[in-house]
Amino acid sequence: MLLGAGVLTGLLAIPVVSMSQDKHYEPTIASLDTHPLPGWYDDAKLGIFVHWGLYSVPGWAPLKHPDHDFSSDDYIKYNPYAEWYYNVVRVPGSPTAEYDREHFGPNHNYYDFTPAFNKETKKWDPDKMAGIFRDAGAKYVVLTSKHHEGFTLWPSKIANPNQTGLQAERDIVGELSSAVRKDGLKMGLYYSGGYDWTFNRGPITQNTDYDNVKPQSAAYGAYADAQIEELIRLYHPSVLWNDIDWPKSGKPMQIMADYYNSTPDGVIDDRFGIPHSDFTSPEYAKLDQISPKKWEECRGLGRSFGYNRAEGEAETIAPQELIELLVDIVSKNGNLLLDVGPEPDGTIPPVQLSRLQALGAWLKQNGDAVYGTHPWTRANGTTNQVTAEGKPVEVRFTQKDGRLYATLFGKPAGSTILLHNVSAAAGSEVKLLGSPQPLKWSQKSTDVEVTLPATLPGSYDWVLQLTAAK
C-alpha cells in the first residue's frame, strides 16, 4: 500500500455514476440538486472553449491588462478580451475605438462585419477543427453559440424583436457538433444569457454598468428562454455553459429541468444566477487546495478568448506552463476549459496551434496521470531535486485504480529523486510514463527514493507511476 497524508484511494474521489433515463427533474433547487455529476465529465479533465463570432473579423484588443485585474479603473477602456470589441469600440478614448477608425473608417458599424464573417466561414472545415481538438487531447468542446453582441452561430427561428441579420449563414453549431462527436468527443454550447447588446446596448463604460446593462425586460427573458431551449432541443449539448447571469424575467430553473430531462448526462455551469450547478467556473484563476465540488478553470491560450491578432509568443502561455496548469488543476479536482480564438475562416492561429500540439504530445505519453484520475489525499508535493536552472522540482499528485501518479514539474538535475512524505510497501512498483522498464526505488524514512533513467522521454514534466503491491 502507498501512503501519503492518507491512503492511496484518497478522501475526495468522486465515483462514476450511472445516469438514470427514468429520473424526472422539476424546476426547483431541491430537485435540480439531486442531479449527480456524470462520470464522463469528471474523467475528461480537458475541454476546448471556442470563442468565434463577428468580433473575430477585426480580431483585436489592447494588451495592457495581462493579469485580468477586472476591477481596475481603466480595465474597461483597455479590455484585453477581443470578444468585447463591440462594447469597447464605443468607450470614448479607447484604443479599440482608435483601431476601428483607423482600419474601418469613422462611421463604421460593428454589425457591418457580418458579410465578411459569412464569406470567411465558407472556407471553414469543421472536421479539421475537430481533429485539432482531438489531437490536443481534449475530451469535450464548448462553442460560443451567441456572445454578448447577440449574433448567433446557428439558424435560430426565435426572432429578435430589435434587430435583423443576426445569424451566421452556416449552421456552425450543428456542423461542429457533428464533427466533434464523430471524433468521439462531447459537444457543449456557451450562451450569453446575462448580456445581449441588441436588447440593452450600453455601452459598459464604468464598473457600475456591469449590472445596469443586463437586460431584464419581459421581452428579453422570453427571447433568451426560447433560444436556449431551442439549442437544447436541436443540438442536445453535453455542457450547457451560460455566461454572466440569467434575466430575472426568464426561467432558469425550468431551463435546467428541461435540459436534465432531455440530456441526463449533461452538466451546467454556475453562471445562471441561481444556487445550482454541476461545477464552478473560475476565470483565469485556479485553486490553492483540493475542492470537494467539481470545478473548471476557463482561460484563453493568450490573454483574450476571442482572436486577437496583436497577441504573439509573449502573450501566449508557454507549453510547459500549460502542461503544469492542467496537471495542477486536475490534482485539485478540476477540469481545464482551454480557449482558442479562431480567425474568421476558422483557422487556429499558429501560436495557439503550437501549444495545442505540445499539450497533445505530452498527454499522449502521460495521459494516464490525467484522464480518469481523482485527487489524492493532497495535491502538492516536494522533492530534494532542483532543475539545471536551480528551480525546485515540485510535484502534483493524482491517483486511480491503485496507482499513485507524481508529476514532476521540471527536469531533475540529479539521477535520483526523493518524493517527500510518500510511503510504499515492499513489492510496489515504480515506473516512469513513457519508459518501458520499472525503476529502482527504496524507502528512505518517510520518503521514496527513485533512480531515474539516464535519458528522460519527452520534453517537459515527467510522471512517476507508483503501483501498490498486490
Side-chain angles (χ1 to χ4, degrees):
M1 178 176 289
L2 299 162
L3 299 175
V7 295
L8 174 63
T9 51
L11 301 176
L12 294 170
I14 300 174
V16 175
V17 296
S18 59
M19 311 302 293
S20 172
Q21 296 287 335
D22 299 326
K23 182 172 178 57
H24 182 78
Y25 293 92
E26 299 293 338
T28 66
I29 296 298
S31 179
L32 297 172
D33 279 351
T34 66
H35 182 259
L37 184 74
W40 77 261
Y41 180 78
D42 186 32
D43 291 345
K45 309 306 182 187
L46 177 63
I48 298 292
F49 219 174
V50 185
H51 274 66
W52 193 20
L54 294 187
Y55 44 83
S56 307
V57 177
W60 191 87
L63 303 176
K64 185 172 179 180
H65 286 280
D67 297 323
H68 300 88
D69 44 338
F70 301 107
S71 61
S72 62
D73 291 340
D74 67 350
Y75 184 88
I76 295 169
K77 183 176 178 180
Y78 294 92
N79 193 327
Y81 286 171
E83 67 276 11
W84 275 65
Y85 190 97
Y86 179 46
N87 187 81
V88 186
V89 78
R90 294 176 291 150
V91 175
S94 70
T96 302
E98 182 180 344
Y99 180 91
D100 195 74
R101 282 194 302 272
E102 179 182 344
H103 289 82
F104 307 109
N107 300 311
H108 179 257
N109 185 299
Y110 173 83
Y111 294 95
D112 291 341
F113 288 130
T114 301
F117 182 76
N118 285 328
K119 178 182 177 181
E120 290 300 305
T121 53
K122 289 178 181 178
K123 307 171 188 175
W124 170 58
D125 182 346
D127 290 329
K128 181 178 179 181
M129 178 179 278
I132 289 171
F133 300 156
R134 176 202 64 216
D135 292 346
K139 300 301 182 183
Y140 61 104
V141 175
V142 178
L143 170 69
T144 50
S145 66
K146 182 201 82 167
H147 208 262
H148 307 334
E149 90 278 61
F151 186 82
T152 73
L153 300 191
W154 85 100
S156 178
K157 293 197 168 35
I158 312 303
N160 187 306
N162 303 319
Q163 190 169 329
T164 59
L166 287 169
Q167 296 178 5
E169 289 182 357
R170 289 183 74 167
D171 181 4
I172 293 172
V173 170
E175 292 187 53
L176 186 58
S177 294
S178 296
V180 161
R181 287 166 175 154
K182 186 167 62 177
D183 272 337
L185 280 63
K186 299 281 190 178
M187 184 67 193
L189 295 176
Y190 164 109
Y191 184 86
S192 175
Y195 289 145
D196 189 314
W197 294 326
T198 68
F199 280 82
N200 188 335
R201 296 191 183 273
I204 296 166
T205 60
Q206 55 189 357
N207 288 336
T208 55
D209 293 334
Y210 283 124
D211 280 332
N212 297 338
V213 173
K214 294 177 181 177
Q216 303 293 356
S217 66
Y220 181 61
Y223 178 78
D225 286 351
Q227 277 206 327
I228 203 165
E229 291 276 13
E230 183 181 51
L231 286 169
I232 294 167
R233 184 175 67 255
L234 293 177
Y235 304 109
H236 309 287
S238 294
V239 183
L240 194 62
W241 214 105
N242 182 61
D243 201 8
I244 306 297
D245 205 347
W246 200 257
K248 293 179 175 59
S249 53
K251 300 176 180 178
M253 287 191 288
Q254 185 65 59
I255 290 163
M256 292 180 178
D258 292 344
Y259 175 63
Y260 286 151
N261 289 329
S262 67
T263 311
D265 66 344
V267 290
I268 292 173
D269 73 343
D270 62 339
R271 301 190 182 197
F272 275 89
I274 64 171
H276 171 76
S277 68
D278 294 296
F279 61 92
T280 60
S281 61
E283 188 167 319
Y284 280 91
K286 57 184 182 179
L287 306 187
D288 294 329
Q289 303 292 331
I290 296 171
S291 169
K293 184 176 177 66
K294 189 69 180 183
W295 61 287
E296 175 190 82
E297 178 182 347
C298 62
R299 61 150 294 156
L301 279 160
R303 301 173 186 175
S304 174
F305 285 95
Y307 170 53
N308 184 1
R309 67 185 73 246
E311 292 186 347
E313 286 287 335
E315 292 77 30
T316 306
I317 189 170
Q320 184 172 352
E321 185 183 351
L322 174 57
I323 290 163
E324 292 174 2
L325 174 68
L326 172 62
V327 175
D328 181 77
I329 289 169
V330 171
S331 74
K332 296 167 183 173
N333 198 33
N335 286 7
L336 172 60
L337 186 60
L338 182 66
D339 181 80
V340 298
E343 297 177 27
D345 65 357
T347 299
I348 307 301
V351 69
Q352 295 189 10
L353 181 60
S354 69
R355 294 341 191 239
L356 296 180
Q357 291 169 337
L359 182 58
W362 189 88
L363 284 167
K364 188 173 182 180
Q365 175 179 303
N366 300 291
D368 280 350
V370 174
Y371 304 122
T373 63
H374 301 299
W376 194 39
T377 56
R378 54 192 167 96
N380 296 7
T382 58
T383 73
N384 66 324
Q385 278 289 353
V386 296
T387 66
E389 297 75 28
K391 180 181 177 182
V393 175
E394 296 182 16
V395 178
R396 294 296 183 273
F397 293 109
T398 53
Q399 57 98 1
K400 67 178 175 186
D401 301 331
R403 299 188 296 274
L404 175 66
Y405 298 94
T407 301
L408 309 178
F409 282 8
K411 184 177 183 179
S415 60
T416 62
I417 190 166
L418 286 175
L419 299 177
H420 293 152
N421 300 310
V422 175
S423 299
S428 298
E429 182 180 78
V430 180
K431 281 188 171 183
L432 185 72
L433 296 188
S435 293
Q437 298 301 321
L439 304 180
K440 181 181 177 181
W441 72 274
S442 61
Q443 190 73 45
K444 299 285 188 179
S445 184
T446 59
D447 307 328
V448 167
E449 181 181 68
V450 180
T451 301
L452 299 171
T455 302
L456 299 179
S459 302
Y460 313 101
D461 298 340
W462 292 267
V463 181
L464 293 171
Q465 174 189 288
L466 290 76
T467 304
K470 295 181 179 179

